[in-house]
Structures are given as structure tokens and as C-alpha cells.
């Protein structure tokens, strides 16, 4: 099958990551979770007592931070590593969620992570989710999706996810965190979350997980087929 880049952007907690993962699996593509990189950077700054508003600290933090993704051979699951440590679960905790959007406003941190994301997607055949994938990381992505869902649905789903990982969190607290991250992510100066003109909007509030995955896979296959037809017409 032809290889394309699929960019999935949208608000916090609307199911981008799990959808992107399933789309990648169906198409035999690689999934890259750009949010996990901002979360790992946040954990690094928190653990090292570095302040994202101090330029010296930002420099120090970036120099001492190495983020990688490795496949767990037992589960086949892709997991996030920070300086050699598996931080996949730790980066999903509320402590990190509370700080990540502040870290993600810092220009130098974004520059570093975007460069890494672009390297990871260079050979195409990738599905990447985040906030600026269709606008900044891969403005030429062949398929761009903008996912939304209402705040109540997103909060409920996120509470379930945290519960499955053993973290019991008040629904109101989750709601406040998602709304606050949406506010910071959409209003920041550096590559804010926007729906680009060529993105297809999918509201997942009333869709099942299977339906939202099927919709995107269908669109991706159309794009791939069209590219094939286009290439054979020009032969
Ligand atoms: O999974 P969830 O929707 O909670 O968020 P995430 O995708 O893990 O991203 C966490 C945070 O990282 C976001 O709220 C943004 O502040 C930041 N982020 C970003 O600025 N740019 C991206 N491409 C991805 C995430």
C-alpha cells in the first residue's frame, strides 16, 4: 500500500491517540504520539527542578533530555522512554497533565521536539497526533483530521482511562484540566491549536471508537488510491 502522512489534531482528551494508534495498525503505518514527547519533556523539567520560564534552565533541560519510543516485545505496545527510563505510565498522570501545556508554550522546547517529529515522519507511512501536526510539523500531510468531542464526553472518557491505570481522579478536576489545556493550547503564541483549512473535522461525541477509526481508515484509503490513479495517469 502507498505511504502517506496522516495528521490528527484536536482538543485534549478527545481520543486522538487511541484512534491514531488503531488507524496506524489497520494501515500498517507507524504511530507517533507527539503529546507523549511534550509530556516526557514536562516530566524531565519537573524531576530536574528546572523552570520552563528561565532560559538557562530550558537550555540545560534540552541538553540533558533524550526522548525515544520503543516497542515492548511482550505487548507490542509502543512506549515512551526518557533518558533510558520507561515513563509511559508516569507521563499520563495528572501531575504531568497539570504542567504540560505550560511547557508546550516554550518556543525552544517546541523547536527541538518538532525537529524530532519531522525526522520520525520523514519516510512517510505515519500517523501522528497532536496540536500542530497539520499546521506546523507536516503542513504537506496528505490527510489531515481535526477531532473534537464535547467536554463532558472527553472528561468521562479520560476518567475511565485514568481509572484503568489505577489513578482515581474527580471528574470536575479532569474537566477543569482539559478546559484549561484547551485554553492555553489554543491561545499560545507558538503554533497554537487551530483547525487548518484543509483538515476534515470529525466530532466523536456520538461515534463509537470503531466508527471513528473506520471513517479515518476509509478516507486514508481513498487518498492512497487517488494518488495511485494520479501516478498511473501520468505514466
Ligand atoms: O492525550 P491528551 O489529549 O490529554 O493530550 P496529549 O496529546 O498527550 O498532549 C498533552 C499536551 O501536550 C497538550 O495539552 C499540549 O499542551 C501539548 N502538545 C502540543 O503542544 N503539541 C503537540 N503536537 C502535542 C501536544
Amino acid at each position: 500500500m502507498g505511504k502517506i502522512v496522516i495528521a490528527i489534531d484536536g482538543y485534549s482528551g478527545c481520543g486522538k491517540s487511541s484512534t491514531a494508534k488503531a488507524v496506524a495498525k489497520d494501515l500498517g503505518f507507524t504511530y507517533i504520539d507527539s503529546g507523549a514527547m511534550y509530556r516526557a519533556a514536562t516530566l524531565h523539567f519537573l524531576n530536574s527542578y528546572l523552570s520552563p520560564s528561565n532560559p538557562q534552565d530550558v537550555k540545560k533541560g534540552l541538553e540533558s533530555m533524550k526522548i525515544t519510543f520503543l516497542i515492548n516485545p511482550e505487548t507490542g505496545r509502543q512506549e515512551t522512554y526518557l533518558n533510558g527510563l520507561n515513563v509511559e505510565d508516569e507521563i499520563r498522570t495528572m501531575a504531568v497533565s497539570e504542567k504540560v501545556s505550560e511547557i508546550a508554550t516554550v518556543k525552544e522546547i517546541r523547536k527541538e521536539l518538532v525537529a524530532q517529529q519531522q525526522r520520525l515522519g520523514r519516510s512517510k507511512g505515519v500517523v501522528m497526533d497532536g496540536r500542530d501536526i497539520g499546521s506546523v510539523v507536516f503542513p504537506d500531510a496528505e490527510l489531515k483530521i481535526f477531532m473534537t468531542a464535547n467536554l463532558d464526553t472527553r472528561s468521562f472518557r479520560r476518567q475511565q482511562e485514568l481509572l484503568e491505570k489505577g489513578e482515581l481522579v474527580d471528574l470536575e478536576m479532569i474537566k477543569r484540566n482539559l478546559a484549561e489545556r484547551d485554553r492555553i493550547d489554543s491561545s499560545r503564541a507558538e503554533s497554537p491549536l487551530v483547525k487548518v483549512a484543509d483538515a476534515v473535522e470529525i466530532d466523536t461525541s456520538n461515534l463509537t471508537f470503531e466508527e471513528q477509526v473506520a471513517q479515518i481508515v476509509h478516507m486514508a484509503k481513498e487518498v492512497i488510491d487517488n494518488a495511485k490513479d494520479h501516478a498511473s495517469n501520468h505514466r
Side-chain angles (χ1 to χ4, degrees):
M1 195 183 307
K3 285 183 168 183
I4 60 168
V5 171
I6 304 176
I8 304 184
D9 290 301
Y11 296 106
S12 294
C14 60
K16 294 182 304 292
S17 299
S18 39
T19 306
K21 218 177 280 175
V23 169
K25 190 165 178 220
D26 189 296
L27 296 170
F29 283 13
T30 304
Y31 163 63
I32 300 162
D33 181 351
S34 72
M37 299 168 79
Y38 289 94
R39 286 174 175 275
T42 304
L43 186 65
H44 181 59
F45 275 70
L46 283 173
N47 286 348
S48 316
Y49 301 101
L50 294 168
S51 161
S53 52
N54 175 336
Q56 284 304 322
D57 276 9
V58 170
K59 192 164 174 278
K60 238 190 267 173
L62 288 175
E63 281 166 2
S64 55
M65 171 180 91
K66 190 170 187 304
I67 300 168
T68 41
F69 293 114
L70 288 175
I71 305 278
N72 180 328
E74 281 186 6
T75 58
R77 200 167 74 121
Q78 180 181 287
E79 295 175 338
T80 314
Y81 280 70
L82 170 64
N83 293 338
L85 297 180
N86 185 327
V87 292
E88 183 58 31
D89 287 336
E90 210 177 341
I91 59 170
R92 314 284 168 190
T93 56
M94 281 305 280
V96 171
S97 296
E98 295 284 359
K99 285 276 170 223
V100 63
S101 286
E102 185 190 337
I103 292 274
T105 61
V106 182
K107 188 177 178 180
E108 290 70 24
I109 298 179
R110 299 202 70 83
K111 202 170 146 204
E112 182 71 28
L113 296 187
V114 166
Q116 194 176 343
Q117 288 151 14
Q118 288 171 334
R119 279 196 300 275
L120 289 169
R122 206 167 28 200
S123 47
K124 298 217 172 186
V126 295
V127 185
M128 193 178 292
D129 78 311
R131 304 293 184 288
D132 58 343
I133 311 305
S135 57
V136 174
V137 182
F138 294 118
D140 297 330
E142 287 86 349
L143 178 60
K144 298 180 186 178
I145 306 289
F146 190 83
M147 272 176 66
T148 64
N150 65 52
L151 185 60
D152 283 339
T153 308
R154 292 191 273 138
S155 308
F156 183 76
R157 288 182 189 158
R158 181 50 51 96
Q159 190 183 41
Q160 287 296 116
E161 274 173 26
L162 288 165
L163 196 59
E164 279 159 26
K165 293 199 176 113
E167 196 176 354
L168 206 61
V169 189
D170 176 68
L171 195 59
E172 281 308 313
M173 185 175 166
I174 294 176
K175 216 185 253 186
R176 268 201 306 277
N177 176 254
L178 295 181
E180 178 63 0
R181 281 200 283 133
D182 287 348
R183 189 188 66 73
I184 301 175
D185 294 347
S186 307
S187 61
R188 68 184 176 217
E190 284 305 316
S191 33
L193 168 65
V194 283
K195 177 182 175 285
V196 287
D198 52 346
V200 181
E201 183 164 336
I202 299 184
D203 184 341
T204 70
S205 308
N206 298 309
L207 292 179
T208 65
F209 180 69
E210 288 72 23
E211 284 169 340
Q212 67 208 37
V213 172
Q215 275 195 14
I216 300 174
V217 167
H218 179 75
M219 282 187 263
K221 286 184 176 163
E222 263 181 4
V223 172
I224 294 167
D225 286 347
N226 284 343
K228 242 187 267 163
D229 290 348
H230 192 73
S232 57
N233 285 340
H234 283 78
R235 234 174 246 146

